[in-house]
Amino acid sequence: MTDPADGAAPDDGGALPGLDLDRLTAYLNRSVPGLVAGPLRGALLTGGRSNLTYAVTDGQARWVLRRPPLGHVLATAHDMGREYRVMSALTPTAVPVPPMVHHCAAPAVLGVPFYLMGQVPGRVHREPEELVGWSPSQVRDLAFRLIDLLAVLHTVDPASIGLADFGRPDGFNARQVRRWKRQLDASRSRDLPGIAELHDRLAAAAPETRSPAVLHGDFRLDNVLLGDNRAVRAVLDWEMSTVGDPLADLALSLLYARRVAAPGQPGTDELAARYARRTGRSVDGLPWYLAFAAFKLAVILEGVHYRYVQGKTVGDGFDRIGAQVPPLIAEGLTTIRKG
C-alpha cells in the first residue's frame, strides 16, 4: 500500500523503521480498549519528506499513523499534538480532515509521540507530472478547488473552534523569519550563496498581520486526498499549522502552484485574485510573502537534505532534494528585489 488512498491492506513486510507493531498493539489495547480486533500489520507509506506515515490494519479496520522522522528532530518541529489538535478542531467545519482516533504524547511506546487517524479513501497526487493525462479544464478546475478550499480555511474563526490560543498573530511574520533562520542554522551542512541576503531583506520588511486566520502551513497538491470525481476528500499534513497571517499560507500555496506545469494551470495572479474574491482579503504586498515562501521552502528542503546526508531518511528520492534549494533562494531574491 503506497497511499492512505488505495484501500489495499498493508503488507507484513517484517520490521518497519520507526514503528514497533507489537508495542503499538499492547499500548492501544490498554489505552483504547476495543479499538483493535486482531494482530496489527503495517506498511510505510510513500511520500512525506518530514514526518513518517504508516498504513496500519487489524484485518478489519484501517488507520493511518503519524510520527516524527528518525533522528535530528528540531525544536518546535514535527509536533504530533499540534496536528492532532487542529484536525480535531476542524472536524465540524467545511474543511475536510480525516477522523482523529488517538494521540499519544508519551515517547515510551514508539520512542516519540504519535497519533492515529482513520483512513480516508482517495488518492494523493505526489508529483505535478501525475496530472499529464488530465484535460486543461480538469487541471484548471482542480487548481481553483484548492485555492477555494484554502479560502474556506482562512474564513474559519479560530476562536469559534477552540483555537484562539493556537498561535500569536502579532509580530507573526517577523517571528516566522527568525524561526526559519534558526531552523536553517540547525540543519546546515553546506554553503548556500544568497540565503543570508534573502533572510536580511525579509527581516527588514516583515509586514504586520492583517485579519489572523488558521493556517495550514504547507498547503499543496500532494497534501490533499482526491476522490474519483477529483473532489478533495481530506487535507493532510498539518504539522506546521498555526494562527497567523493568511497571506503567508496563500503565498506558499502559490509557490507550489507555479511548479505545476500541466496545461490549464492558472497563473499566480489569477489564483491570487480568486482568493481575494473568495475571502474579501486584500492581496497587496504579496511579493514579500512570495519571497518568504521561497525562503521557508528552501529551509524545509535543506533540512530534508541534512537528514539525507546523515542517513536518517526513509524512502526514495531524497538524493534529489538538495538540488532544489539554490533555485528557491534565487527565486526569493528576484521576487523581493522587484517587490
Side-chain angles (χ1 to χ4, degrees):
M1 177 174 175
T2 59
D3 230 336
D6 60 17
D11 298 325
D12 287 311
L16 287 168
L19 180 59
D20 186 319
L21 289 171
D22 291 335
R23 292 178 67 88
L24 177 63
T25 301
Y27 169 78
L28 291 175
N29 285 338
R30 293 193 307 270
S31 302
V32 195
L35 178 68
V36 177
L40 292 180
R41 293 177 292 144
L44 178 70
L45 300 178
T46 60
R49 294 165 180 164
S50 179
N51 291 329
L52 299 180
T53 308
Y54 306 82
V56 179
T57 183
D58 61 1
Q60 298 181 29
R62 304 179 191 278
W63 304 280
V64 173
L65 183 144
R66 291 265 287 172
R67 56 148 289 166
L70 305 178
H72 190 63
V73 176
L74 297 171
T76 76
H78 317 294
D79 189 336
M80 298 293 97
R82 195 168 192 84
E83 280 199 90
Y84 189 86
R85 181 184 173 189
V86 71
M87 284 190 281
S88 297
L90 287 168
T91 296
T93 74
V95 180
V97 291
M100 296 295 101
V101 177
H102 183 71
H103 171 234
C104 175
V109 182
L110 299 182
V112 291
F114 67 91
Y115 70 89
L116 200 67
M117 56 186 167
Q119 189 182 76
V120 178
R123 181 181 177 187
V124 174
H125 292 267
R126 301 207 179 274
E127 300 295 338
E129 291 77 11
E130 295 181 43
L131 305 182
V132 167
W134 292 29
S135 70
S137 63
Q138 289 170 335
V139 172
R140 183 176 177 82
D141 179 66
L142 175 61
F144 287 141
R145 286 190 187 191
L146 293 179
I147 209 70
D148 289 349
L149 181 52
L150 189 63
V152 169
L153 172 64
H154 291 170
T155 55
V156 173
D157 176 16
S160 71
I161 56 171
L163 295 180
D165 63 343
F166 197 60
R168 292 181 293 151
D170 291 343
F172 173 82
N173 291 311
R175 199 164 54 249
Q176 282 284 295
V177 173
R178 293 194 297 270
R179 174 195 173 184
W180 289 102
K181 176 61 162 57
R182 290 195 299 270
Q183 301 285 67
L184 173 66
D185 292 342
S187 302
R188 200 159 173 175
S189 60
R190 56 181 179 160
D191 185 41
L192 295 171
I195 202 163
E197 179 189 349
L198 178 55
H199 164 266
D200 292 348
R201 285 177 175 266
L202 290 167
E208 285 298 324
T209 302
R210 296 174 290 180
S211 302
V214 178
L215 313 187
H216 179 273
D218 197 26
F219 192 83
R220 54 193 164 112
L221 175 63
D222 59 326
N223 277 340
V224 299
L225 277 171
L226 299 180
D228 292 337
N229 61 351
R230 300 182 178 85
V232 177
R233 298 293 306 276
V235 181
L236 309 173
D237 294 5
W238 293 82
E239 65 179 284
M240 289 188 285
S241 59
T242 189
V243 171
D245 192 328
L247 292 189
D249 223 15
L250 170 66
L252 186 59
S253 182
L254 294 176
L255 186 73
Y256 286 125
R258 283 179 178 177
R259 284 149 176 77
V260 178
Q265 176 68 20
T268 298
D269 291 345
E270 190 174 6
L271 290 171
R274 179 156 178 137
Y275 172 89
R277 289 195 302 272
R278 294 285 179 170
T279 62
R281 298 177 187 270
S282 169
V283 293
D284 293 344
L286 194 57
W288 185 92
Y289 294 92
L290 289 169
F292 172 67
F295 175 75
K296 176 180 173 178
L297 184 55
V299 174
I300 292 170
L301 296 184
E302 187 64 15
V304 176
H305 173 72
Y306 185 80
R307 289 196 297 276
Y308 166 72
V309 298
Q310 286 192 318
K312 296 295 185 179
T313 50
V314 178
D316 300 324
F318 293 100
D319 56 324
R320 301 187 294 272
I321 297 299
Q324 300 178 37
V325 175
L328 281 166
I329 297 170
E331 183 175 350
L333 281 171
T334 299
T335 302
I336 203 164
R337 286 168 181 166
K338 288 181 179 178

